[in-house]
Amino acid sequence: MNLCDLNNIRTLLGRHGFHFSKAMGQNFLIDASIPQAIAEHCGADENCGVLEIGPGIGCLTEQLARRAGQVVSVELDRRLLPVLEETLSKYENVSIVSGDIMKLDIAALVDTHFSGLTPLVCANLPYNITTPVLSALIDSGRFQRLTVMIQKEVAQRICALPGTADYGAFSLYMQFYTQPELLFDVPPDCFTPQPKVTSAVLRCTVRKAPPVDVADVPFFFQVVRAAFALRRKTLLNALSAAFGSRLRKDELSALLDACGFSPTVRGETLGLAEFARLTAHLQAALKH
Ligand code: SAH
């Protein structure tokens, strides 16, 4: 059965008495070329275990099952379980896990299901939890590559370069851990129901080693968040707001100078290397 055919979807879901839930970010693909392209770009083969989040009725799951060694698909909506049992019955390498991806131990899930396989993520993500899911997937430290369809705007923020309007703390987080590439756009009319936003497929290749030397990674991201917390202010004022109780403004000013930054520099113009330098200087100053 073509799981992207609108008539098939209506018949199938009608038979199961299913109604779409906005709260669960349910927009199902109705253009068969899209799940095919996503699965192709994720690069899965029989040596890979693929984690999917939110299979819906299984149109992408099926494409992954044809390529990968194992597919584990986590679905929050229990009403979809009998549907998936029907649509994916012929694929022996697919396990559906019923649950909320935000509450599962992702590392344990990978270790139990993908022993001896290269773990990948491939999913049309529920858009309301895009950033926390991406963070949890990266923090699990298990995946070699994440290929996800998300809101185009978020994909642009993830790929954004310093000094652009889209650039922010989440760009730095994603670029520190991965090399993100925006692959292609997917317009609203490829889904039912149609979302209000354009989507895009993003592929993030997880780095084997950090792109810059950082002694204390949590502190590095604390500095990054501080720099972007007051976006319209200079870096000096932003740092002063965050670390003012421990360093005087003239000390912070001298520190920016030692980093080679202009006194009026804004955090949004700094790249990974500059933030790494700033973090090292701040850490040394705070130890005194
Ligand atoms: N992959 C399908 C459906 C994408 S819609 C397709 O492309 O057609 C998003 C899916 O994520 C829905 O099936 C929704 O029920 C599921 N979902 C939403 N929140 C979730 C969560 N926290 N954990 C797991 N699945 C979730």
Side-chain angles (χ1 to χ4, degrees), residues 193-205:
Q194 289 194 19
K196 290 204 174 65
V197 295
T198 296
S199 303
V201 176
L202 178 80
R203 181 169 58 198
C204 301
T205 306

Side-chain angles (χ1 to χ4, degrees), residues 22-86:
K22 221 179 186 169
M24 283 192 265
Q26 291 174 342
N27 303 98
F28 295 176
L29 281 163
I30 53 165
D31 178 336
S33 70
I34 310 287
Q36 255 175 45
I38 298 174
E40 209 43 54
H41 277 101
C42 95
D45 61 23
E46 67 278 11
N47 301 313
C48 296
V50 181
L51 174 66
E52 184 192 19
I53 296 109
I57 61 167
C59 66
L60 176 60
T61 324
E62 174 177 66
Q63 294 300 324
L64 296 169
R66 288 183 187 158
R67 294 167 171 82
Q70 284 292 326
V71 178
V72 169
S73 201
V74 178
E75 176 55 60
L76 174 63
D77 192 342
R78 296 182 150 273
R79 299 172 306 157
L80 287 168
L81 302 180
V83 181
L84 289 162
E85 208 157 295
E86 183 180 329

Side-chain angles (χ1 to χ4, degrees), residues 70 72 95 105-117 142:
Q70 284 292 326
V72 169
S95 314
D105 182 340
I106 295 172
L109 196 67
V110 168
D111 296 346
T112 345
H113 287 88
F114 297 156
S115 160
L117 298 171
R142 290 296 187 277

Side-chain angles (χ1 to χ4, degrees), residues 122-142:
C122 187
N124 168 13
L125 288 180
Y127 294 177
N128 47 339
I129 52 168
T130 302
T131 52
V133 171
L134 285 175
S135 306
L137 291 168
I138 289 172
D139 291 345
S140 78
R142 290 296 187 277

